[in-house]
Structures are given as structure tokens and as C-alpha cells.
Amino acid sequence: QIVEFISEYGLCEEGLFRVSGNAKVIERIRADFDKGDLVDLEVYRDDVAAIASVLKFFLRELPEPVIPTYLHDMFIRAQADNESNEKRCIRELRGLVAILPK
């Protein structure tokens, strides 16, 4: 739900994941998610940074990183080695995504 919202409303926000949202809004959204409620993120459309901050909190709290440590350098290298060739970069990144643990 959060990723879809950010994809729709936040991708044009400069520095979205560097800027923290309003702390009270972040806590309210997290509390709603913690209760298992379906959260109406449209209410917070003016503070996309707060929604992105909730996603950052969630990712930090995962027991294992989304990209395992043993694959991290491979992801970095795939992007760095293919900066001038977007299609090849995408192909290599997709290959790496395919081997991520389920």
C-alpha cells in the first residue's frame, strides 16, 4: 500500500527518502498499520515524506535486509559497471533480483 502510494504521488518529490516527514504524522500512520487497520493514505497526501519515513522504519525493522549483505556489492557493481548502458543495467539488475531469497 505504501509503495503504491509513493509510486503514484512521491516519485517527483526531490529528496523524498532523505527528508523526514512530520513526526506526529509518522507515528499516527505507524500506529494505524500496527493495529492492522487499512490506512487511508490519501489523508496524508500533503506529507508524502511522512509516508516514505514509515516505509523506511519498516525496512529498518526487518530481521534481514531486503538485499542480503552477500549480494549488496553485486547490485552496486551492476549499476556502476553499466551506467552508460541502461538496458544492460536493467537486465543485470533483474537477474540479481531473480536470485534474491523469497
Side-chain angles (χ1 to χ4, degrees):
Q1 184 183 3
I2 289 177
V3 172
E4 288 175 6
F5 185 88
I6 291 171
S7 293
E8 188 170 341
Y9 299 109
L11 295 182
C12 293
E13 298 281 329
E14 189 172 338
L16 179 63
F17 290 101
R18 289 182 306 211
V19 176
S20 250
N22 180 297
K24 288 183 182 183
V25 173
I26 293 167
E27 286 307 313
R28 194 173 322 128
I29 296 169
R30 287 184 72 195
D32 287 345
F33 275 111
D34 287 345
K35 287 188 282 187
D37 293 347
L38 185 60
V39 181
D40 180 11
L41 296 176
E42 290 289 331
V43 174
Y44 306 107
R45 194 168 169 187
D46 291 339
D47 195 355
V48 180
I51 296 167
S53 294
V54 172
L55 178 60
K56 290 189 296 186
F57 276 113
F58 170 76
L59 293 172
R60 276 191 218 113
E61 292 173 349
L62 290 174
E64 297 290 325
V66 174
I67 299 175
T69 307
Y70 67 91
L71 291 175
H72 188 261
D73 287 342
M74 294 170 72
F75 272 87
I76 299 295
R77 204 170 323 113
Q79 195 277 327
D81 291 350
N82 297 295
E83 281 184 286
S84 62
N85 188 333
E86 184 177 352
K87 286 184 181 185
R88 189 169 68 195
C89 181
I90 291 170
R91 188 173 52 249
E92 286 195 31
L93 290 172
R94 281 187 176 151
L96 289 169
V97 167
I99 64 172
L100 285 171
K102 302 289 182 224

